[in-house]
Structure formats: structure tokens, C-alpha cells
Amino acid sequence: MQNSLPLFVLTILACGLAGCVGPHTVNYSISGDERVTGSQIGGSLKVAKLADDAPSFEKVNVRSGRHAWRTNASSRYPNGDRAAEVSRAVARHIDKSGLFQSVVYPDDGTKADYKLTGRIYDYNAMGKVNKRAENILVLGSMFGSFPGAAAGLAGTIGQKTTLQSNVELRDLKIRSQKTNRLLWSNPSIKRSSNREVHFLKADKKPVYKEADRQLKNVVSEMIDDIQESHKKNPTAWKLRK
């Protein structure tokens, strides 16, 4: 056990603070509680690739005044395509919820009964770098021993920083693929946060995961809203032969 703590700390320093984190795939856990209760919407839903109108940082590490920040720069998503990642996550969440009989993902050409479209208006997260705490951790770990790593950790207990996030999807619509009738729409669903967290939450991977966390909240509200619309007027959603 004495060697595991320094190894853990050194791994954080080598692959987190030093920047060797690879491409980020948008993904978050979806529990059984996410499944909808009540009647299911008959038919299949095609989730189209969302238009990406959100501003984005080009680099993970940026400066604003005297402060350094880490961001979820769009360049770190696979192929630099943030919209593809977000759209697949939306499709997966709706699929797991059981709201529709089936869900067709954005990169699947299969025909469906309904089609969901929309825009990514905001998808940003950023954590303020607590340089003092990170330097203490680095110096403590440089000794490469249990006492050195433990001293580094002890010196950063209670060290905080700021983590901010804003995620918003706009112009959300579901239409019948057969009649083009508008069945559901929502002009904007958004979530934002500005809170104090442990300083390691400003590392690259946690910053990206923060945006994903907010997307989960946005999609959960979307699913609830679609289900409520179906409950109020189930006849409008009835498939035409």
C-alpha cells in the first residue's frame, strides 16, 4: 500500500496536469431510474446531428487577466467534432430512457417515424487553475516516496478552485417523418453552474466531464417535456398508415 499512493499522485501529475489526456468522448452514466414510467411513444425516433453554434475555446489552457483556466476546447473531441459527440450522447440517453420504441442514432441511415433536430447554443466548461496547490503537489511528488507524496497531499487538503459550466440546446423540434407535422418543440433548455470545488476538479478530464454532466441534466428535462407533450395529446403522435 505504501507505494500505491505516490504512484497515484504521479499518474495524476503525468497524465492530468501535464496534459496527456487523449480525445474526449461525451459519455455519462444513465441509471435505471432514468427510464420513463407510463406509456411509451409508439414508433422510432431519429436523432439528427445537432448544428453546433456554440462558441468554443481553441486551446485547453487559456488565460483571462491574471488567472489561468482549463477549458473543454472543441479540439479535444474526436476529429474535433463536438456536435457528433453531443448528438450521439443525446440519442443514447433517449434510447436508454425507453421513451420511444427505438432510437436511430445520428450516423445511422435507417429511416424512422419521427425526427429530432436542434442546435447546440452553448457547451462550455472551465476550471480556474489553483497553481499554488498544484505546485505543492508537484514538489511533494518529486521525492518519489510515500512521505513526499503524503506531504504533497497534506499540503493541498482543503484547496479549492472555481468550476463553471454552461450547456444550452435550442430550437429543439420533433416532426413526423411521414407528414412533417410538428409534434413537439422547445425553444431552449439550459443548465449552468458556478461553484467551488477541489482544485483537481480543474484538471482537464474533470472539466470535460462537467460539460457532460450538464448535458445529462438538459436531456433529462427534454425527455420529461416530450413525455408530457405526448400525455396531453397522444392522438397527435399516432402513426399514420
Side-chain angles (χ1 to χ4, degrees), residues 4 40 57 59 72 97 110 114 118 135 140 143 167 195 208-209 214:
S4 63
Q40 184 182 65
F57 292 98
K59 298 180 179 180
N72 66 323
S97 76
T110 304
Y114 311 104
N135 285 341
F143 293 102
V167 171
R195 67 189 196 278
Y208 276 83
K209 294 300 290 184
Q214 295 291 21

Side-chain angles (χ1 to χ4, degrees), residues 4 11 33 63 121 184 207:
S4 63
T11 300
D33 295 338
R63 293 198 67 86
Y121 185 77
W184 171 84
V207 167

Side-chain angles (χ1 to χ4, degrees), residues 94-137:
I94 297 175
D95 192 9
K96 293 287 186 179
S97 76
L99 181 59
F100 291 84
Q101 284 185 343
S102 62
V103 173
V104 179
Y105 286 61
D107 51 359
D108 187 339
T110 304
K111 292 184 178 180
D113 301 301
Y114 311 104
K115 186 176 183 179
L116 169 67
T117 59
R119 297 189 296 127
I120 305 169
Y121 185 77
D122 208 345
Y123 201 81
N124 287 294
M126 55 194 301
K128 185 188 293 184
V129 177
N130 186 332
K131 200 65 178 176
R132 177 180 177 276
E134 292 186 4
N135 285 341
I136 291 173
L137 195 58

Side-chain angles (χ1 to χ4, degrees), residues 46-98:
K46 165 73 174 184
V47 177
K49 182 179 178 181
L50 303 174
D52 193 349
D53 298 333
S56 176
F57 292 98
E58 294 182 3
K59 298 180 179 180
V60 172
N61 298 293
V62 300
R63 293 198 67 86
S64 177
R66 296 181 299 169
H67 299 293
W69 296 77
R70 294 191 179 99
T71 76
N72 66 323
S74 58
S75 59
R76 287 298 185 100
Y77 293 96
N79 301 314
D81 195 346
R82 176 177 57 183
E85 286 295 311
V86 172
S87 302
R88 277 193 291 267
V90 171
R92 175 176 173 268
H93 194 155
I94 297 175
D95 192 9
K96 293 287 186 179
S97 76

Side-chain angles (χ1 to χ4, degrees), residues 165-180:
S165 59
N166 294 281
V167 171
E168 181 176 2
L169 302 183
R170 286 190 175 184
D171 299 332
L172 296 163
K173 296 180 175 69
I174 294 180
R175 292 182 179 274
S176 165
Q177 287 282 72
K178 188 170 185 178
T179 66
N180 202 37

